[in-house]
Amino acid sequence: QVQLVESGGGLVQAGGSLRLSCAASGRTFSTYTMAWFRQAPGKERQFVAAVIWSNGNTIYATSVKGRFTISRDNAKNTVFLQMNSLKPEDTAIYYCAATFAPSGQLYINSGRYDYWGQGTQVTVSS
């Protein structure tokens, strides 16, 4: 049973930083792709970033490229999302997601992900 538990959300002023964590358990994740999505009130869930666990290759949404960094810690089975230069429009619930991807694919479509965490709220004040 895959479990994903997010933490690290909170309230921050515009221009500030936060680091989100996603603790993963229940599998050996070396053949998984991990991702972060976000959902603002009244909006659809939006792709943020993804990483291939085995080789660290990444992909980012245009809106966060250059400000956010996704990474993973193999020893801790944890995926991180470092968010810098935060903007009010980054306010959302952030979700961690995982999918089995033995060929090392990077997916931006939420429908490709089979496992989800409960989400963590990020609020950026202006």
Side-chain angles (χ1 to χ4, degrees):
Q1 180 82 6
V2 172
Q3 278 199 313
L4 305 174
V5 179
E6 302 99 332
S7 61
L11 173 64
V12 64
Q13 287 190 330
S17 298
L18 280 175
R19 189 174 82 153
L20 305 184
S21 299
C22 172
S25 62
R27 288 284 191 279
T28 300
F29 289 93
S30 58
T31 52
Y32 276 67
T33 292
M34 310 294 291
W36 288 95
F37 287 80
R38 66 187 182 186
Q39 189 165 17
K43 295 190 176 181
E44 292 187 353
R45 193 165 294 190
Q46 177 188 41
F47 171 78
V48 176
V51 61
I52 297 172
W53 197 290
S54 60
N55 61 21
N57 285 354
T58 58
I59 188 170
Y60 295 91
T62 302
S63 59
V64 306
K65 201 167 186 178
R67 300 188 297 123
F68 291 10
T69 302
I70 188 171
S71 62
R72 82 270 186 257
D73 183 324
N74 290 334
K76 296 182 180 179
N77 253 19
T78 301
V79 177
F80 301 101
L81 185 68
Q82 178 66 44
M83 305 186 296
N84 299 328
S85 302
L86 282 161
K87 305 174 182 180
E89 51 263 45
D90 294 318
T91 295
I93 299 174
Y94 283 70
Y95 297 92
C96 179
T99 189
F100 182 61
S103 298
Q105 302 97 327
L106 283 164
Y107 299 116
I108 65 172
N109 187 332
S110 61
R112 287 284 197 171
Y113 290 86
D114 301 309
Y115 306 100
W116 293 84
Q118 81 289 350
T120 186
Q121 176 70 48
V122 171
T123 303
V124 184
S125 63
S126 56

